[in-house]
Amino acid sequence: MLRVAVVGSGPSGCYAAQSLVQQDPEVRVDVLDRLPCPYGLVRYGVAPDHEKIKSLQNNLRTILEHDRVRFLGGVQAGPGGVPVARLREIYHAVVYCVGAATDRHLGIPGEDLPGSWSATQFVSWYSAHPDAVDAGFLRDARSAVVIGVGNVAVDVTRMLARGLAELSPTDMPQAALTTLAASRVTEIHMVGRRGPSQARFTTKELRELGTLPETDVTVDPAELALDPGYTDPSALPAPQRRNVEVLRGWSATPPSGAPRRIRLRFFLRPAELLAEQGHVGAVRFERTAPDGHGGVMGTGRFEDVEAQLVLRSVGYRGVPLEGLPFDPDRGTVPNLAGRVLREGVVTPGEYVAGWIKRGPTGVIGSNRPCAKETATSLLEDAPVLIHKDVPEDPLTALRAEGADPVEWTGWQSIEQAEAMLGASLGRNVVKLPDWQSLMTAAHGDAF
């Protein structure tokens, strides 16, 4: 019987487990996660007001409840936990689905000023990630700048403009809900260094900004006109063309005087974050222009935009996992069809899937074919892997390494505690926001 560990219980990890049990009637899979809760970015990255996308948890639940799949939360792979080399001794094969754990930086002066954060830090806070801290994101903030024009940028922009009525039905933790409901941010700038035809957001996400109550969305026609693709969108791919159509409509609609305003800005490249009394007070942008080759060039003209809160959303990057090779240029583990490569040579029994395999690209569904390719590679190697002696039950060996796994019943206890917490607050399910409350609930105690 082939025993496989999948490290990471987000979409790529769950899809890897699913592909393995579908293709092999004997294999048994342990899905390990550092957190006591499964689902990865579906639980901790999808915006709380996107209930349809969050419902993907139901599909992932079905995978983790398969009779040959076992969820083991609270198990750290690598430093401070079970060493990678020991995992390889406990299982016939290990599939690493650890995502891209850090944000890209802007690399500009003032980026580390108080009030400047990555969008991921903000998302983690309002999504109740147990590693998140309440950093006073909105304290004294009246104007916010979101740097980036992808879907994460749209998400955080939308959450900054949401009110209590729209956020209360979500599973957002109570402290974040209270803070966002009391926010005094009335001006939100979402800024891209290139033009509207090159923005990375999807049209569905973009349109949502126009449905927010008491919020105007404005676009400067002069900025839009700098983009040749905007001026003549006929040659654009359909998704970009639809984006341009939405932006064109907003640019032609005068603001209504609503209490909040979202300003979409283009052809502005962040050059410096400016301090005011030791805190970020403005962002200095350089005006850019198309360079004729799909990129932009600086013009030497600058504009300062007031902001007491700056959220950068310019992409993610994988980080090395001790014991595995790493390509620092791509931020991935070198691999061949999911097989880990060490100095160009396949390492039997070690595999990757998801962002750590291919880089932070694609949507949630992109992980399914990626994981299937890796699972297929692993099962092709199975006749060799199966000859290795491994413990009869890896759980005993994991505990011997100091791990205290949260099994599926522990996760169900967390779910029950979150339902009880929501009921006590007059809301629906409300997430437990910290390690202590999660682990207390996992062991069956009241929240």
Side-chain angles (χ1 to χ4, degrees), residues 66-309:
H66 190 282
D67 59 3
R68 286 184 286 119
V69 176
R70 178 169 58 178
F71 173 71
L72 298 175
V75 178
Q76 170 79 38
V82 183
V84 165
R86 181 58 179 144
L87 280 179
R88 283 285 293 112
E89 295 170 353
I90 296 173
Y91 294 92
H92 291 112
V94 183
V95 185
Y96 298 94
C97 305
V98 293
T102 62
D103 296 86
R104 293 186 182 278
H105 289 262
L106 299 171
I108 61 174
E111 185 171 7
D112 295 327
L113 280 170
S116 168
W117 308 93
S118 73
T120 299
Q121 290 172 302
F122 188 59
V123 171
S124 293
W125 167 69
Y126 68 60
S127 298
H129 193 291
D131 289 341
V133 294
D134 184 353
F137 294 100
L138 303 180
R139 189 176 299 126
D140 300 324
R142 305 175 304 279
S143 177
V145 166
V146 178
I147 299 173
V149 284
N151 279 346
V152 174
V154 175
D155 278 349
V156 297
T157 296
R158 191 179 66 254
M159 298 307 294
L160 285 169
R162 283 284 194 205
L164 179 63
E166 300 102 72
L167 295 176
S168 290
T170 73
D171 61 5
M172 179 180 288
Q174 188 66 23
L177 173 68
T178 302
T179 299
L180 284 167
S183 168
R184 294 188 293 166
V185 173
T186 56
E187 191 94 357
I188 308 161
H189 306 258
M190 189 170 76
V191 188
R193 63 186 176 88
R194 297 194 291 178
S197 70
Q198 297 168 310
R200 302 296 296 273
F201 42 61
T202 56
T203 309
K204 181 178 181 295
E205 293 262 359
L206 179 63
R207 283 185 177 134
E208 280 188 272
L209 296 179
T211 67
L212 297 172
E214 300 186 306
T215 304
D216 283 329
V217 181
T218 66
V219 194
D220 185 346
E223 290 183 352
L224 300 180
L226 293 171
D227 185 349
Y230 177 85
T231 306
D232 180 13
S234 59
L236 293 176
Q240 283 72 40
R241 193 165 62 248
R242 287 192 292 267
N243 285 344
V244 163
E245 290 168 358
V246 173
L247 294 168
R248 195 185 297 275
W250 285 337
S251 70
T253 304
S256 68
R260 283 187 298 270
R261 180 166 61 165
I262 295 171
R263 300 188 64 191
L264 301 183
R265 306 293 309 276
F266 297 96
F267 293 110
L268 291 171
R269 179 166 58 197
E272 183 178 1
L273 270 57
L274 305 177
E276 183 176 312
Q277 297 181 342
H279 191 279
V280 66
V283 184
R284 176 161 292 166
F285 290 98
E286 181 182 15
R287 170 67 64 189
T288 62
D291 63 5
H293 304 287
V296 292
M297 57 186 178
T299 64
R301 292 182 288 117
F302 294 86
E303 175 183 340
D304 294 351
V305 176
E306 179 191 351
Q308 297 78 38
L309 171 65

Side-chain angles (χ1 to χ4, degrees), residues 47-66:
D49 60 342
H50 275 179
E51 287 299 322
K52 185 174 181 181
I53 302 176
K54 288 177 74 67
S55 68
L56 177 62
Q57 291 184 17
N58 296 328
N59 297 13
L60 303 183
R61 173 189 297 276
T62 300
I63 298 169
L64 294 175
E65 289 182 334
H66 190 282

